[in-house]
DNA sequence: CTGAAAGCGCTTACAG
DNA sequence: CTGAAAGCGCTTACAG
C-alpha cells in the first residue's frame, strides 16, 4: 500500500495537520518537529498525493500544455522543445503539469471546458492551434488564463508568445538584399496562419525599406508543407526566371524549395539563394546547409508557462511577449548571380 | 466556478450517486435517466474531475511515462514518438496519463517511490534509463508494473519492449556481406547499454554465419555520440585500411562516421559503405542518404503502455516483447571496392 | 433502478 | 506551536 500523510503522522507522533503544514511550508512550526517530520517522510518515501492536494486546496495551480496536431510534427522537434520548456518552468515552480494532445477531431468530442474541468486546469499553454479550430473560439469565450504560442488574441486573460515574426523576416530578407539580391520570392505558409501574415509583412517591409518593387506574384503559399513547396517553388522559378533568391516561411518548405531547385538542374546558392525559418536540426545536415531564422522553442515554452502563471496569480502580464530570435547563416545564401 | 457532479445531479433531479454511475458505465440504470443525465452533462460541459475520481476509486489506473535524459535528445524525435505511442494507448483506454522527465541528478532528489506516491501511479513506461541509474535499482526492488524500453530486467512485474536488436543487427551486417564486404567495422554505443551488447552480438552472428573472421579491434565504442564517432571512425579507418564498411549502432554515430570518411577524402559508398541504426528523420536528408535499421518508436511506446496495462490487470504478459523492425536501404551502401 | 453515507488523502480556518 | 473537524469531488458497498 502507498504511504500516506497518516502513516507519516503516526510515525512522527503528530497530527496529520502538522505534517501537512510542514509540507506546505508553514513557518509557525517548531524547527525540531519540522526536521523530524521531514526526516521521517524522506525515510518512508512520502510525498503528498497530488490528486488529494489539488482537491483539498483551493490554491493548487495546474498548468496544461495543449498540443494541437502533435502527430503531424514528426520532422521537427519543436513540439518537444515547447514541452521541455513548459515542463521545466512548472517543475521549478512546483506547479502541477498535465499534457494533452488534441486534434481538430478530438476538439469536437471533448470541449476545452470539459478538459479543464476534468483535469482541474488553472491555466494552459496552447500550441499548434489555428484560428478556425473550435478551441480557439472556446478559449476566447473562457476566462481561463491561456498562453497562446504563435497566435494572437485580444483578451485580458490571454497572452501571446512568439518571436517578433515581422522583425525576424525583415532581417532575413534584408540579409538577402545585402547579398545583392533584387528579385526575391517568398514561399509562405498557410494564408490564415498568424505567423504567415507577420512573415509576409516582414518581407514587404524589407523590400520597401530598400526601395525594391513589390511584385504580388512573388509571394506564393505552400501550406507549410514540404511536398507542396516543391511544386510551388518550381512553378514560381519557372514563371519568374529573374528571381535569384527565395525566402521561405518554414524550413520544411525551404527544403521543398531546395529540392525543386536541384530538380531544375540549378544549384544553391550559385543560381538561387534560400533562407528558411525555424532553424530545425535538419538544416545543419543538408547539402548545402540551410540558413534560417532561429527561434528558441524551449524558451518560448518556458516563457509561455511563466506568463500563464502570472495571469493565474493576477499579476500584470504583457499581452504580447516577444522572444529573441536569430539569423543563422550557413551555406544556402550567396551573392546574387550576375546579369539578374 | 467549475461544474461538479452536484451541479449535474441537481439539474437532473437525481442523486450524485446516479450521475456517478452513468459516468462509470453501470448498466443497471434506466435508459431514460441515463440519457437525460448524459445530455445535461454535455450541455454543462461536465466531465468528472480526474483527481477526485482517482482518489475515490480504488481501481483508477494511472500510467506514467518516465523519460530519462529527455533534454539530451534534441537530434532525434524518438522521445516524442514514444510519448505519442504511450499517450495514444492511454487515451484509447481512458487511462490517466502523467508525464515525468527525469535525469541522473533528479533521480537523486526524488525517488521512484516518492514519484509514484505523489502521482498515484499504477504503472510506468520508462525510457532512456541506464543500468547504473538509481531508478533502475528502485524499479527492480519495487512491485510496481513497469515496461522498460530497450532494457532488460528479470522480474515478473517488469516487461521489456524493444525490437530484436540481435536479429536486426544480423540482418544489417548480412546485407553488407551480400554487397561483397568482407572487412566490416562496427561503431558501437556505450559498452554497458543493453542495446549495444545485443547489436554487437548480431554483428558477430552475421560474421560467423558467413564464415568471416572476427577481428576484435574491428569493434569500437563511441558512446552514441556523434562527435566521438567522428574520431573513433577516423582512427579505425586509418589503422584498418582494409575496412570497406562500417556498421553503426546509431544513426547519430553513423553521421559522425560519414563526416570522418569525407574528412579523409574518401567517398560513400564508393570507398566506405555505412549502415546506421534507428532510422531517424535526418537520414533521408543526408548526402548520401543513410541506410539504417528502422524501429517504430511510436509502436514501441504503444506496446509498452499496453503491456504495463496487462501487468496492472494481472493478465499474462510476456517478459520480453519484440516489435518488428526494418532495414531501410538508401544510398550509403554500395558494393565493396575491389582489391580489398 | 436509486439514494444516503462512508471514505479516498489531503488543506485550512478555527480553537486553544 | 498544534490538533479536531469540515470539506474538496468523487466512488461504491449497503439498503431498499
Amino acid at each position: 500500500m502507498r504511504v500516506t500523510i497518516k502513516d507519516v503522522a503516526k510515525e512522527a507522533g503528530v497530527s496529520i495537520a502538522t505534517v501537512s503544514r510542514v509540507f506546505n511550508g508553514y513557518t509557525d512550526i517548531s524547527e525540531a518537529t519540522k526536521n523530524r517530520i521531514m526526516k521521517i517522510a524522506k525515510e518512508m518515501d512520502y510525498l503528498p498525493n497530488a490528486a488529494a492536494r489539488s482537491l483539498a486546496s483551493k490554491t493548487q495551480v495546474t498548468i496544461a500544455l495543449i498540443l494541437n496536431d502533435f502527430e503531424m510534427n514528426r520532422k521537427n522537434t519543436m513540439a518537444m522543445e515547447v514541452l521541455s520548456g513548459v515542463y521545466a518552468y512548472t517543475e521549478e515552480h512546483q506547479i502541477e503539469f498535465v499534457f494533452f494532445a488534441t486534434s481538430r477531431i478530438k476538439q469536437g468530442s471533448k470541449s476545452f471546458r470539459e478538459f479543464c474541468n476534468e483535469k482541474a486546469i488553472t491555466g494552459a499553454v496552447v500550441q499548434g492551434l489555428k484560428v478556425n479550430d473550435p478551441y480557439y473560439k472556446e478559449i476566447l469565450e473562457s476566462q481561463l488564463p491561456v498562453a497562446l504560442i504563435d497566435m494572437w488574441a485580444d483578451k485580458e486573460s490571454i497572452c501571446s508568445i512568439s518571436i517578433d515574426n515581422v522583425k525576424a523576416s525583415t532581417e532575413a530578407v534584408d540579409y538577402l538584399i545585402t547579398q545583392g539580391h533584387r528579385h526575391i520570392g517568398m514561399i509562405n505558409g498557410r494564408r490564415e496562419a498568424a505567423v504567415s501574415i507577420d512573415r509576409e509583412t516582414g518581407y514587404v517591409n524589407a523590400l520597401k525599406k530598400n526601395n525594391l518593387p513589390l511584385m504580388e506574384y512573388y509571394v506564393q503559399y505552400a501550406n507549410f508543407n514540404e511536398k507542396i513547396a516543391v511544386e510551388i517553388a518550381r512553378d514560381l522559378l519557372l514563371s519568374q526566371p529573374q528571381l535569384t533568391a527565395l525566402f521561405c516561411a518554414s524550413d520544411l518548405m525551404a527544403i521543398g524549395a531546395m529540392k525543386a531547385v536541384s530538380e531544375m538542374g540549378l544549384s544553391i546558392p550559385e543560381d538561387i539563394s534560400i533562407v528558411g525559418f525555424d532553424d530545425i536540426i535538419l538544416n545543419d545536415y543538408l547539402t548545402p546547409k540551410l540558413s534560417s531564422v532561429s527561434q528558441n522553442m524551449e524558451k518560448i515554452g518556458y516563457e509561455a508557462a511563466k506568463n500563464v502563471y502570472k495571469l493565474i496569480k493576477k499579476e500584470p502580464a504583457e499581452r504580447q511577449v516577444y522572444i529573441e530570435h536569430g539569423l543563422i547563416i550557413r551555406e544556402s545564401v550567396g551573392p546574387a548571380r550576375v546579369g539578374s
Side-chain angles (χ1 to χ4, degrees), chain A residues 46-289:
Chain A
Y46 171 75
L47 226 45
N49 173 279
R53 185 172 237 175
S54 94
L55 240 198
S57 164
K58 300 273 81 180
T59 59
Q60 173 65 41
V61 171
T62 301
I63 291 181
L65 169 61
I66 302 181
L67 251 32
N68 193 42
D69 286 342
F70 174 51
E71 311 280 337
M72 289 170 51
N73 260 342
R74 283 296 159 63
K75 283 199 187 160
N76 62 54
T77 51
M78 287 171 61
M80 201 166 100
E81 286 167 38
V82 170
L83 167 59
S84 174
V86 173
Y87 188 83
Y89 186 83
T90 56
E91 184 170 58
E92 279 169 24
H93 297 264
Q94 317 211 51
I95 297 166
E96 276 293 304
F97 169 82
V98 319
F99 174 84
F100 183 47
T102 189
S103 64
R104 180 68 59 94
I105 293 166
K106 283 205 257 166
Q107 287 179 36
S109 58
K110 187 190 280 192
S111 74
F112 182 69
R113 272 196 70 195
E114 280 176 321
F115 168 70
C116 292
N117 219 35
E118 186 182 18
K119 297 298 178 68
I121 298 308
T122 34
V125 174
V126 182
Q127 169 175 59
L129 214 57
K130 300 174 206 87
V131 279
N132 50 353
D133 273 315
Y135 275 21
Y136 182 64
K137 201 172 152 229
E138 278 199 74
I139 289 169
L140 283 179
E141 284 165 359
S142 134
Q143 290 309 311
L144 198 91
V146 169
L148 244 29
I149 291 178
D150 279 344
M151 187 176 221
W152 166 250
D154 187 15
K155 192 162 193 299
E156 70 294 347
S157 63
I158 301 179
C159 163
S160 296
I161 321 274
S162 66
I163 61 166
D164 185 336
N165 281 290
V166 175
K167 189 153 169 273
S169 302
T170 305
E171 288 169 14
V173 177
D174 256 344
Y175 165 63
L176 287 169
I177 296 170
T178 303
Q179 299 296 306
H181 297 276
R182 293 292 171 268
H183 298 281
I184 303 169
M186 175 172 184
I187 311 286
N188 205 351
R190 205 174 290 102
R191 232 177 248 273
E192 317 81 50
V195 295
S196 301
I197 297 167
D198 286 351
R199 290 173 195 175
E200 186 166 335
T201 303
Y203 164 83
V204 171
N205 287 357
L207 296 186
K208 276 192 192 150
K209 218 178 66 178
N210 291 278
N211 296 311
L212 292 175
L214 170 64
M215 306 298 167
E216 207 183 313
Y217 42 87
Y218 277 13
V219 180
Q220 298 292 328
Y221 303 86
N223 208 20
F224 291 118
N225 178 301
E226 183 181 334
K227 285 220 168 49
I228 299 178
V230 177
E231 292 166 32
I232 296 283
R234 190 200 307 114
D235 294 350
L236 182 59
L237 291 174
L238 284 173
S239 64
Q240 310 296 332
Q242 71 281 19
L243 290 176
T244 62
L246 251 26
F247 169 56
C248 304
S250 82
D251 288 333
L252 253 28
M253 294 191 295
I255 289 171
M258 286 172 77
K259 244 174 221 169
V261 171
S262 43
E263 281 173 17
M264 292 168 69
L266 300 174
S267 46
I268 305 167
E270 291 74 11
D271 300 307
I272 303 289
S273 287
I274 294 187
V275 173
F277 211 107
D278 292 341
D279 199 40
I280 59 179
I281 310 269
L282 276 180
N283 294 359
D284 223 12
Y285 293 86
L286 300 169
T287 311
K289 295 178 181 168

